[in-house]
Amino acid sequence: MEILPFKYYRLYITKNANGNNGYFSMNTFSMYEANESTTDLCIGATATASSEINSTNNAPKAIDNNASTYWETASTSGDKWFKVELPTARKVRKLIITATTYQGEMPSAFIFQGSNDNVNWVNLKTVNKGTFSSPTSYTELLSTVVGGKSVLDSGDPSLKVILFNWQTMQYIIHTTPNASGDWFIYLNDTSDVLITHIGPAGYQPISDGPVTPMVY
C-alpha cells in the first residue's frame, strides 16, 4: 500500500523502556517526509497528549526544537497517546524519538497512527522494542522502496511499471518511468512484489519477481 498523507499523527503508547505503562517521556519527537530528509515536519506543528505531568513538561515541549525541554506524562498507569497536528496533510516515512534523562520512560511499545479528521485512525506501524537499558534515541522507518530501470528493446522507456503482491497477485501501485527508464516507488509493506513492465501496442509485457523491497 502506498504511503498516504495525514494531517494528524499519533503515538498510542503501551510500554516504556522499563516495561511498564506508568511514566512516559520524550525529549524530542520528529517526523520526516523522506527517509533522507533533514526537515522535521513537527517544527511549527501543534502537539497534545492524553497526559502531562505539569504545565511545564507538556506535549509541545517534545517538538519545540529545544534539547533542554521535554514532555512527560503523569504516573497514572495505563496506555497514553501523544499527538501532532500538522498545518497540512503530509506523508511521513521516518520517525526519530530521543530520550530524556529519565531513559526508562522512553516509549518502547506503541502504534503509530494517522488521521485526517482526528476521529478515525489508521494504524501505520506497530513497534515493540521490549525492555532495554539506557536508551538515548532510535529511528523508525515506515517505508521500503522498489526501483530499477524499465526500457524496451528499442531503448525507449516503457509506458508503465505495475506492482502486484507476489503471493496474492493483488494490485499495489503503478508508476511511469522517466525518460531514461529509471523508476522507484515507496511502499509501506515488505512483502515480495511482482513487477510488470508495460510497453505500447505490439510489445509483450515483461514481469520480474519475486522482488523483496529494501528498507530505504
Side-chain angles (χ1 to χ4, degrees):
M1 183 172 63
E2 184 183 9
I3 296 287
L4 299 175
F6 292 101
K7 181 175 174 63
Y8 302 90
Y9 287 93
R10 183 171 73 175
L11 292 183
Y12 187 85
I13 313 168
T14 57
K15 296 289 184 182
N16 59 28
N18 285 331
N20 62 62
N21 61 0
Y23 286 106
F24 295 105
S25 64
M26 295 187 294
N27 179 227
T28 60
F29 175 76
S30 303
M31 303 190 301
Y32 301 87
E33 195 159 28
N35 296 347
E36 68 277 13
S37 175
T38 58
T39 301
D40 184 359
L41 297 177
C42 292
I43 303 300
T46 301
T48 54
S50 60
S51 175
E52 296 171 336
I53 193 168
N54 53 45
S55 59
T56 300
N57 304 114
N58 55 20
K61 296 301 193 301
I63 63 168
D64 64 358
N65 201 28
N66 185 341
S68 65
T69 62
Y70 61 92
W71 164 66
E72 186 177 19
T73 70
S75 62
T76 306
S77 296
D79 300 344
K80 300 175 179 69
W81 53 259
F82 176 88
K83 181 173 64 181
V84 174
E85 178 184 354
L86 301 177
T88 59
R90 302 289 292 271
K91 297 180 180 181
V92 171
R93 294 188 173 92
K94 181 174 70 173
L95 308 177
I96 297 180
I97 298 174
T98 61
T100 67
T101 54
Y102 309 112
Q103 293 173 314
E105 298 177 2
M106 188 178 189
S108 173
F110 58 85
I111 303 172
F112 183 58
Q113 302 172 309
S115 173
N116 279 316
D117 60 8
N118 200 24
V119 175
N120 300 292
W121 294 90
V122 177
N123 293 342
L124 304 177
K125 184 166 187 176
T126 299
V127 175
N128 189 349
K129 293 184 174 296
T131 58
F132 50 97
S133 60
S134 302
T136 55
S137 69
Y138 57 78
T139 300
E140 289 294 332
L141 300 178
L142 277 75
S143 64
T144 55
V145 68
V146 176
K149 186 176 287 288
S150 182
V151 295
L152 308 173
D153 54 12
S154 63
D156 296 322
S158 62
L159 295 183
K160 188 181 298 184
V161 175
I162 307 175
L163 272 62
F164 300 89
N165 181 288
W166 174 256
Q167 292 184 321
T168 66
M169 292 297 114
Q170 182 178 3
Y171 166 82
I172 300 174
I173 194 174
H174 69 271
T175 189
T176 301
N178 65 18
S180 299
D182 299 316
W183 64 276
F184 76 94
I185 296 175
Y186 281 113
L187 304 170
N188 62 353
D189 191 347
T190 58
S191 301
D192 289 351
V193 294
L194 172 72
I195 302 169
T196 299
H197 311 264
I198 304 295
Y203 283 88
Q204 182 175 353
I206 299 174
S207 295
D208 302 313
V211 176
T212 302
M214 298 183 300
V215 175
Y216 182 74

